[in-house]
Amino acid sequence: NIGVLIPTQYLGGSDSFYWKLYQEVTARAMKKDCFVLLELLSNEDAQAKHLPKLITEDKADGLIIIGKPPFDYAKALKNAWHKPIVYLDFYDSDISADSVISNGFYGTFLLTQHLIERGHKDIGFVGTLLATDSITDRYLGYTKAMLEHQLAVQPQWIIKDRDADTGSEILPFELPEEMPTAFVCNCDRTASLLIHQLEKAGYRVPDDISVVGFDDYLTPGMLSMGLTTYAVDLHEMAHLAVRGILRRINGEPWKKGMHITDGELIIRDSVKNCK
């Protein structure tokens, strides 16, 4: 039995990115003749450090956590349960636990460089820093591209998209008075919400402002245009997570630590060539 724990703050609906990732894990586990037990972690239980029934009732042989819970909760969980745990789409600060993540740093570096190659110099970032490891890594990829091209990162163009504690979206986004020519968004959902807000404010995307996302995963119908993004390899992430947890359960050789999966840059219609 493989337990899967998902904090509810990451579930925006039945077709959210994390539901899709969970479905990929389930499909991969079934191919290995494993049974998957899902439990959702509410914000209240996380704050009170209530351990999931998967652990208190000893229902699982290993646990995959999809999406980062509060640091203190993850620490309490590790201390209370000594069976294998794999983190999926996040990692802890000392990288002491097994984890599988997408290459957010390099992916966002490529997205930002794509904007720069098309003549953009004034580029903002949309994502709440330190809210999750993935958002922070993507911000650092954005800053690396800006630094390499000797472009300034303007604080007024760094926009929060969610509450750092609860994960709830901050809508509408607090846009600056003086706008850049492009925004790098930490995920496709944030990019789609930003595009709708910009268009409502009278801006044309991409003619006035270009926007790029991350994940290559959007709820059908959220955008009428094609979004330039970095495609995350969900299949490979799920494959590594399931393979890792099974090898740890069975005591087989497994490289402990962080496993990073690469994706690819997907160029569509949301970026204007300014050259």
Side-chain angles (χ1 to χ4, degrees):
N1 291 336
I2 298 176
V4 173
L5 183 68
I6 309 177
T8 55
Q9 69 189 66
Y10 299 116
L11 300 178
S14 60
D15 49 9
S16 71
F17 175 82
Y18 280 100
W19 273 124
K20 179 63 176 176
L21 190 53
Y22 163 69
Q23 291 168 354
E24 292 287 346
V25 167
T26 301
R28 177 61 60 176
M30 289 177 63
K31 290 182 179 179
K32 297 293 183 179
D33 296 325
C34 296
F35 188 71
V36 176
L37 301 167
L38 172 65
E39 186 167 347
L40 303 183
L41 175 66
S42 69
N43 291 329
E44 294 76 17
D45 284 341
Q47 294 300 324
K49 297 186 179 62
H50 292 156
L51 296 177
K53 290 182 179 180
L54 288 168
I55 288 179
T56 59
E57 299 182 7
D58 199 25
K59 291 181 175 293
D61 301 299
L63 183 67
I64 297 175
I65 306 177
I66 304 179
K68 184 177 183 178
F71 173 78
D72 289 343
Y73 184 86
K75 184 178 179 181
L77 194 153
K78 280 200 302 182
N79 291 336
W81 203 56
H82 301 292
K83 292 184 179 180
I85 299 176
V86 170
Y87 296 161
L88 184 52
D89 201 43
F90 76 99
Y91 56 92
D92 56 14
S93 56
D94 60 1
I95 319 180
S96 61
D98 292 325
S99 59
V100 178
I101 63 171
S102 61
N103 201 338
F105 177 84
Y106 183 63
T108 316
F109 171 82
L110 289 179
L111 285 164
T112 309
Q113 186 162 268
H114 173 71
L115 290 169
I116 295 169
E117 288 172 349
R118 276 147 185 76
H120 294 275
K121 297 180 179 179
D122 299 332
I123 305 172
F125 180 86
V126 186
T128 302
L129 306 186
L130 303 179
T132 67
D133 298 314
S134 59
I135 292 177
T136 305
D137 287 347
R138 293 167 195 180
Y139 170 76
L140 293 173
Y142 152 78
T143 58
K144 172 180 168 63
M146 297 290 282
L147 286 170
E148 286 195 359
H149 292 273
Q150 298 181 336
L151 299 175
V153 174
Q154 302 290 351
Q156 67 271 24
W157 292 339
I158 309 302
I159 299 171
K160 293 182 179 180
D161 72 330
R162 69 193 69 191
D163 183 277
D165 296 321
T166 66
S168 58
E169 292 172 338
I170 299 174
L171 295 173
F173 301 134
E174 189 174 338
L175 300 178
E177 290 186 9
E178 182 182 348
M179 298 287 279
T181 64
F183 281 107
V184 175
C185 297
N186 77 89
C187 67
D188 287 351
R189 176 171 173 80
T190 291
S192 68
L193 293 172
L194 175 66
I195 289 173
H196 287 307
Q197 184 172 336
L198 290 173
E199 290 178 338
K200 190 175 181 179
Y203 294 100
R204 297 169 299 164
V205 178
D207 293 339
D208 299 323
I209 299 176
S210 296
V211 177
V212 298
F214 195 103
D215 288 333
D216 195 30
Y217 188 84
L218 267 179
T219 302
M222 280 201 72
L223 275 184
S224 57
M225 71 174 63
L227 180 66
T228 294
T229 187
Y230 183 81
V232 171
D233 192 339
L234 292 175
H235 300 283
E236 182 65 12
M237 290 179 70
H239 167 70
L240 285 175
V242 172
R243 185 175 70 176
I245 200 72
L246 289 179
R247 288 191 174 183
R248 298 274 277 114
I249 290 170
N250 296 325
E252 299 172 353
W254 170 252
K255 183 181 177 182
K256 188 176 178 62
M258 184 188 300
H259 297 256
I260 302 175
T261 64
D262 287 321
E264 62 176 323
L265 182 66
I266 306 294
I267 299 173
R268 297 194 179 102
D269 308 321
S270 61
V271 174
K272 178 183 178 181
N273 192 336
C274 296
K275 288 188 176 180

